[in-house]
Amino acid sequence: MPDDKRKDVNALYELATLGFVFPIATAIGFFGGRWLDGVFHTRPWITIAGTVIGIAAGFVNLFRSTSQSNGNE
Amino acid sequence: MSWSDCVLLLPEIVLILGASALLVAPVIGKRSGGDSAKWVMIFILAVTAATLIACSWAVDDASFKVTRGMNAMFALDAFAIFFKLLFIAAIGMVVLLSDDFLRESRYSTWEYYSLLGFALCGMMFMVSGVHLITIYTGLELMSLSSYILAGYFKNEEKSTEAAMKYFVLGAVSSAILLYGISLIYGVCGSLNLFDIARAMSTLITNDALMFGIMLLGAGLCFKVAAVPFHVWTPDVYEGAPTPITAFLSTASKTAAFSIFARIFYVALHNFQLDWSNVLATVAALSMILGNLAAITQDNVKRMLAYSSIAHAGYVLMGIIALNANGIRGVLVYSVVYVFANLGIWATVLMMRRHEYAGERVDDFEGLSRRAPFWAFAMFVFLLSLGGIPPTAGFLGKYFLFAAAVEAGFGWLAIIAVLMSAVSMFYYLRLVVAMYLREGREADVAITPPLRLVAAVALAVTLFFGLVPAPLIKQVMTSSQWIAVRGGALHAGR
């Protein structure tokens, strides 16, 4: 495969993962937080914190991927 | 849609027809110069404002009646009218800011103003929304127009990159918002804000509802650029054409705040305990990170981007407080912030260097000798953003801080006061550059449109700082209905 085409395919692969990474990060934050709330009897605070951190992590990852696809990093 | 709905929607109908006419004008007629497009756009804005004022006579807020239409999906209340007039004024000033910028470029002015018109229509539609679908539709109309406008200079690498980042992150935030809306609908059985409030008064916290509220909050936090959903702001503000940066940092942001306030005051006030602590943390992080990151910036556009993140934190205090002073603070601060910021962007545009205007702090060196009056105006705008009396910024911060203390968020008010002091450090960097440094002898481009925008912004900033009574009176009238719906007045909070 020519180098240019390989680059395009890699970029496409990178962008295609975005759809999975964001919900997975959010779900890990939410369910992880819910489990910890159950362990420490702190419901709902760790669930809330976990979800916010999960969404934020998804956003940061998304931003990095977009920057990379623009050739910034 | 009945005739009464048409009357309620008349300002939006006028605007959308005008914006569509701007879009097709160069296709069906001969392509005339950019000046015609500007004057047509200003005429459309004037007619929209006049129609809105005429329609507002139908509103009877004194008895807390709201003129609702479209099956109670759309309300033309005093709150909406207040923000709509603010949006029209802000867009009018953005049109003036864009004049010289567009004249030097080779891009069509007709489509540009048309997109600004569509964005304004989206903002006006969503601030009147009392149904989550109406709000979402308006938000998307505004956002889609904004993505195109951010990348309008398509041959500029920075501009297209900014648009790409804004679009991808904006699309995801819209998806999050929709998912949150769908969960709230699943639990409450309605998307109408009043029905949601009614349903929530009988509900106990459950995971689906909490998750829905958090996703809705996360989507809105992206739109207002609050931490940790702020990552796009500096790059987009830096890359977008400067007048569009001015639009994104003023009108677009204020529109997001208006729906943030409406949704949380009207629909979610029964669950305040659940979301207020999360939003308070977001507000505190926004103020701290925004102000600290702004200190290290040498690029004025990036500095103002981080500053806008910090200001999102201040306004969130008014929403978290959920009391009468809180909603008044949101309204007052919106006015103050829009005019001070537009004044700053007008001054930045006067410092034009090549295609991107006055990007570095160094560009402001010696401005007090080159243009003493406009250096003074810039000084006043910066003081206003810092919340220093006698500028109007003090009034906005007073309301927000008082609301936070009143609601038991004293710690948040302390952080806000400390961070306001920190913000003065980087605002004064610009003042030091203007007044105490020898500058280059390059001319500043003080064109009549920029002069007009800066003069209006200066007059508003000083007038409401010295004579706050008219603004306070108007804000009390415009926010009364929302405050009552949020239980803020009845509960005596």
Side-chain angles (χ1 to χ4, degrees):
Chain A
M1 194 185 287
D3 272 0
D4 278 358
K5 202 164 186 182
R6 192 187 300 274
K7 249 185 205 172
D8 288 347
V9 171
N10 283 343
L12 200 64
Y13 171 75
E14 180 77 25
L15 289 172
T17 60
L18 294 180
F20 300 101
V21 172
F22 194 89
I24 288 171
T26 310
I28 289 174
F30 178 74
F31 289 110
R34 202 164 75 154
W35 177 70
L36 285 173
D37 265 336
V39 173
F40 296 111
H41 306 289
T42 47
R43 198 164 184 271
W45 301 114
I46 305 182
T47 310
I48 291 174
T51 312
V52 171
I53 292 168
I55 297 172
F59 255 111
V60 172
N61 178 64
L62 194 66
F63 180 74
R64 283 194 181 145
S65 302
T66 317
S67 296
Q68 273 171 358
S69 74
N70 278 309
N72 249 14
E73 287 176 12
Chain B
M1 201 162 80
S2 65
W3 272 111
S4 60
D5 291 345
C6 287
V7 172
L8 284 182
L9 280 164
L10 201 56
E12 282 80 5
I13 293 171
V14 167
L15 181 60
I16 208 84
L17 288 175
S20 305
L22 275 172
L23 195 62
V24 295
V27 180
I28 56 174
K30 61 171 186 176
R31 273 188 179 256
S32 48
D35 265 6
S36 324
K38 178 187 75 182
W39 290 117
V40 173
M41 180 66 182
I42 289 173
F43 175 73
I44 292 166
L45 291 176
V47 174
T48 308
T51 317
L52 178 63
I53 291 165
C55 289
S56 68
W57 290 337
V59 178
D60 181 15
D61 258 28
S63 56
F64 307 121
K65 274 184 193 162
V66 180
T67 314
R68 275 185 252 166
M70 291 166 62
N71 293 324
M73 291 176 88
F74 186 92
L76 191 68
D77 53 8
F79 179 81
I81 293 165
F82 180 91
F83 272 105
K84 284 180 187 188
L85 287 173
L86 182 62
F87 299 154
I88 294 171
I91 293 290
M93 288 166 89
V94 170
V95 169
L96 292 174
L97 289 182
S98 309
D99 189 33
D100 294 308
F101 211 84
L102 285 171
R103 195 175 293 153
E104 287 171 15
S105 69
R106 41 197 189 285
Y107 301 101
S108 164
T109 52
W110 294 89
E111 282 94 339
Y112 178 90
Y113 291 128
S114 168
L115 285 166
L116 270 181
F118 288 132
L120 174 60
C121 190
M123 290 189 276
M124 289 174 62
F125 200 68
M126 76 179 174
V127 76
S128 270
V130 283
H131 192 278
L132 289 175
I133 289 300
T134 319
I135 291 172
Y136 179 76
T137 313
L139 188 67
E140 279 307 286
L141 180 56
M142 179 191 82
S143 299
L144 291 172
S145 308
S146 305
Y147 303 147
I148 305 169
L149 284 168
Y152 198 75
F153 286 14
K154 53 182 181 284
N155 292 330
E156 304 292 336
E157 199 182 329
K158 268 185 168 181
S159 183
T160 47
E161 190 185 321
M164 174 70 179
K165 283 178 183 168
Y166 193 28
F167 171 67
V168 172
L169 292 168
V172 171
S173 82
S174 292
I176 292 174
L177 194 78
L178 266 185
Y179 194 50
I181 288 173
S182 69
L183 282 172
I184 291 173
Y185 177 72
V187 176
C188 299
S190 174
L191 289 172
N192 186 291
L193 298 186
F194 308 107
D195 293 341
I196 292 171
R198 213 169 296 125
M200 282 194 178
S201 64
T202 58
L203 281 171
I204 51 162
T205 310
N206 65 58
D207 283 346
L209 184 60
M210 197 173 66
F211 197 48
I213 293 175
M214 287 180 63
L215 291 179
L216 181 75
L220 291 173
C221 280
F222 172 87
K223 300 294 177 193
V224 300
V227 173
F229 311 101
H230 67 289
V231 282
W232 59 277
T233 321
D235 284 6
V236 173
Y237 278 27
E238 188 188 1
T242 307
I244 295 307
T245 311
F247 160 71
L248 293 175
S249 69
T250 56
S252 170
K253 201 170 174 115
T254 316
F257 273 122
S258 68
I259 53 157
F260 213 133
R262 194 189 274 281
I263 293 173
F264 279 76
Y265 267 76
V266 175
L268 306 179
H269 60 268
N270 286 317
F271 272 55
Q272 187 201 13
L273 204 61
D274 285 339
W275 55 259
S276 62
N277 286 317
V278 183
L279 272 190
T281 312
V282 167
L285 287 174
S286 301
M287 288 186 276
I288 294 169
L289 198 138
N291 281 315
L292 293 182
I295 291 174
T296 58
Q297 304 301 320
D298 287 322
N299 183 304
V300 176
K301 286 171 97 174
R302 288 186 81 86
M303 182 196 283
L304 290 172
Y306 280 110
S307 156
S308 87
I309 293 167
H311 285 287
Y314 298 133
V315 183
L316 279 178
M317 284 171 35
I319 295 165
I320 296 156
L322 206 72
N323 55 27
N325 271 340
I327 190 71
R328 286 170 197 158
V330 172
L331 270 70
V332 170
Y333 208 77
S334 298
V335 174
V336 168
Y337 177 75
V338 162
F339 283 98
N341 237 322
L342 283 169
I344 288 179
W345 288 114
T347 321
V348 168
L349 278 163
M350 289 175 189
M351 315 299 299
R352 187 185 309 251
R353 296 277 183 281
H354 307 297
E355 296 239 340
Y356 286 92
E359 284 202 17
R360 303 194 62 77
V361 175
D362 303 349
D363 291 337
F364 284 79
E365 287 179 355
L367 183 66
S368 62
R369 279 172 290 282
R370 282 182 282 160
F373 183 76
W374 303 113
F376 169 73
M378 182 73 164
F379 178 53
V380 171
F381 300 140
L382 293 169
L383 286 184
S384 186
L385 286 188
I388 306 292
T391 60
F394 173 73
L395 186 68
K397 283 198 172 153
Y398 169 78
F399 269 107
L400 293 173
F401 295 178
V405 172
E406 209 180 311
F409 286 96
W411 62 273
L412 194 60
I414 291 171
I415 291 176
V417 171
L418 290 175
M419 286 302 125
S420 292
V422 170
S423 73
M424 281 318 295
F425 177 78
Y426 60 84
Y427 290 143
L428 287 177
R429 266 183 74 200
L430 279 169
V431 177
V432 167
M434 289 189 301
Y435 282 92
L436 301 178
R437 298 232 172 97
E438 287 296 324
R440 285 168 250 170
E441 288 306 310
D443 283 336
V444 281
I446 312 172
T447 58
L450 296 182
R451 200 188 299 246
L452 180 62
V453 172
V456 169
L458 180 66
V460 171
T461 305
L462 282 177
F463 179 76
F464 287 137
L466 295 167
V467 192
L471 180 62
I472 294 174
K473 197 177 164 201
Q474 184 55 51
V475 159
M476 286 173 83
T477 314
S478 301
S479 65
Q480 196 171 13
W481 182 83
I482 292 275
V484 170
R485 286 305 306 189
L489 291 185
H490 287 325
R493 279 181 272 158

